Amino acid sequence: RLRGAEDSSLMAIAPDGVLLLPSFLRVLGGRLMRANRRAELFAVLVIRIDSLARIATAFGADEAEHVRQSARAAARRLSPTTAALGSDDRGALMLAFQPSSPADARQLAARMHRAMLDQLATAGVPVVPPIGMGVSLTSITGYDRDVLLDAARAAAKRAIASDDVTVVVAGEDD
């Protein structure tokens, strides 16, 4: 239990340390409030792993879960120390963090993408699914939690659909 000014609340965390959606949203909202008061840059990165259902159909549910866990492990390993890592009910990973600049946010997303591909290659998965990285920044999208998260999700979806881009920053090329 975490004690707060209003009441206490439970934080729901998966066994691997990834926050479940309600807890992630609570943490993100609090950090955005503080960042907004200080006019600090804040970012959300959504990591979308495509084709897990097809991998499960072709290779079995255990193999799809192995792919998912390998990607989660890479995300945890490369997440900044003060970042909050969560997942949604669609299997996407969400990272809330404070980059030093927009370029820093893009570089982190690119490093994480490369690390996930490397992790999947060394984990012996039969097929590497497309992975899309969508970044939204408060300097472009503002400090509204839902708008920021929706923008990052849409950017990740565009990254998955692209043949030549793995990281899309919301609002840069819209």
Side-chain angles (χ1 to χ4, degrees), residues 7-80:
D7 200 356
S8 63
S9 60
L10 295 175
M11 295 297 285
I13 304 172
D16 63 359
V18 177
L19 294 169
L20 301 183
L21 183 60
S23 297
F24 178 81
L25 292 175
R26 196 172 313 121
V27 169
L28 176 60
R31 291 188 182 177
L32 285 171
M33 262 190 341
R34 288 191 306 276
N36 189 16
R37 273 185 284 204
R38 297 177 177 122
E40 294 173 338
L41 179 64
F42 206 82
V44 171
L45 167 63
V46 169
I47 303 163
R48 184 172 165 167
I49 304 165
D50 205 21
S51 304
L52 285 178
R54 281 186 252 160
I55 292 171
T57 300
F59 300 100
D62 287 345
E63 199 57 51
E65 181 62 17
H66 180 58
V67 169
R68 189 179 77 82
Q69 289 298 331
S70 294
R72 286 167 73 103
R76 281 191 325 275
R77 192 176 66 252
L78 279 175
S79 294

Side-chain angles (χ1 to χ4, degrees), residues 101-127:
S101 67
D104 180 43
R106 180 184 285 279
Q107 290 166 358
L108 174 65
R111 280 193 314 272
M112 289 183 82
H113 185 268
R114 180 79 245 151
M116 286 182 176
L117 294 178
D118 291 347
Q119 177 94 16
L120 292 170
T122 59
V125 299
V127 63

